[in-house]
Amino acid sequence: MRAVIQRVSSASVTIDGAVHSSIGEGFLVLLGIGHEDTKEDIGYLVKKISGLRVFNDENGVMNRSILETGGDIIVVSQFTLMASTKKGNRPSYIGAAGHEIAIPFYEQFCRSLSDAIGKPVGTGVFGADMKVSLVNDGPVTICMDTKNNIW
């Protein structure tokens, strides 16, 4: 699994001209699911994201987690995060999970993250043409890959 976590002042997902989800301060999480991902990957990312200390404390130091700030989260499925650009200029998406794997994993990830932060998590709609708007706060953007933890 790959995730791009952006600390935001606000974010929203619009589908067919209607706002589907919106939040104030918190995280926008773009989530890519690979065909080799497991439920352990879900648990790992949920724990890392819910504990990620990138919110400012009273001294202006990034030292607080979303659990401490009470912020909100939107999770958007994004298969293009699984792109391979090793050959040529056209990305290959061969590593992305098919719908039969990706949809249940996406739904489980959202449920698990919601349980971890103790409130509902906003979502997009899997496979929909979504317009994602955000105001990146900082900017703070963190990339995670459960198969290659070098980030």
Side-chain angles (χ1 to χ4, degrees):
M1 284 185 158
R2 293 181 181 160
V4 175
I5 302 102
Q6 297 180 307
R7 186 180 77 181
V8 298
S9 297
S10 62
S12 65
V13 176
T14 301
I15 302 169
D16 294 328
V19 174
H20 179 76
S21 295
S22 65
I23 62 169
E25 292 182 353
F27 286 145
L28 168 66
V29 178
L30 304 174
L31 182 69
I33 301 166
H35 59 79
E36 294 182 358
D37 289 333
T38 66
K39 293 185 182 195
E40 287 76 27
D41 293 307
I42 293 172
Y44 173 83
L45 274 183
V46 165
K47 184 176 179 180
K48 292 298 275 188
I49 291 168
S50 61
L52 193 60
R53 294 175 18 189
V54 296
F55 294 93
N56 292 345
D57 63 16
E58 60 281 352
N59 297 314
V61 176
M62 289 195 295
N63 198 29
R64 297 178 72 201
S65 71
I66 197 137
L67 295 170
E68 295 167 291
T69 65
D72 295 313
I73 299 177
I74 289 181
V75 180
V76 177
S77 175
Q78 189 170 0
F79 80 96
T80 59
L81 285 177
M82 301 310 294
S84 171
T85 56
K86 281 185 173 182
K87 295 182 181 177
N89 292 319
R90 182 179 175 148
S92 169
Y93 303 105
I94 196 167
H99 285 78
E100 67 283 351
I101 294 171
I103 292 173
F105 272 54
Y106 172 72
E107 291 172 349
Q108 180 61 51
F109 178 84
C110 292
R111 281 192 303 271
S112 296
L113 191 54
S114 177
D115 290 346
I117 67 168
K119 62 167 77 173
V121 169
T123 64
V125 173
F126 194 93
D129 181 17
M130 296 175 275
K131 307 301 180 207
V132 179
S133 298
L134 67 128
V135 176
N136 195 316
D137 181 17
V140 174
T141 302
I142 307 290
C143 299
M144 295 183 188
D145 185 328
T146 62
K147 301 297 188 239
N148 189 10
N149 291 322
I150 61 170
W151 284 342

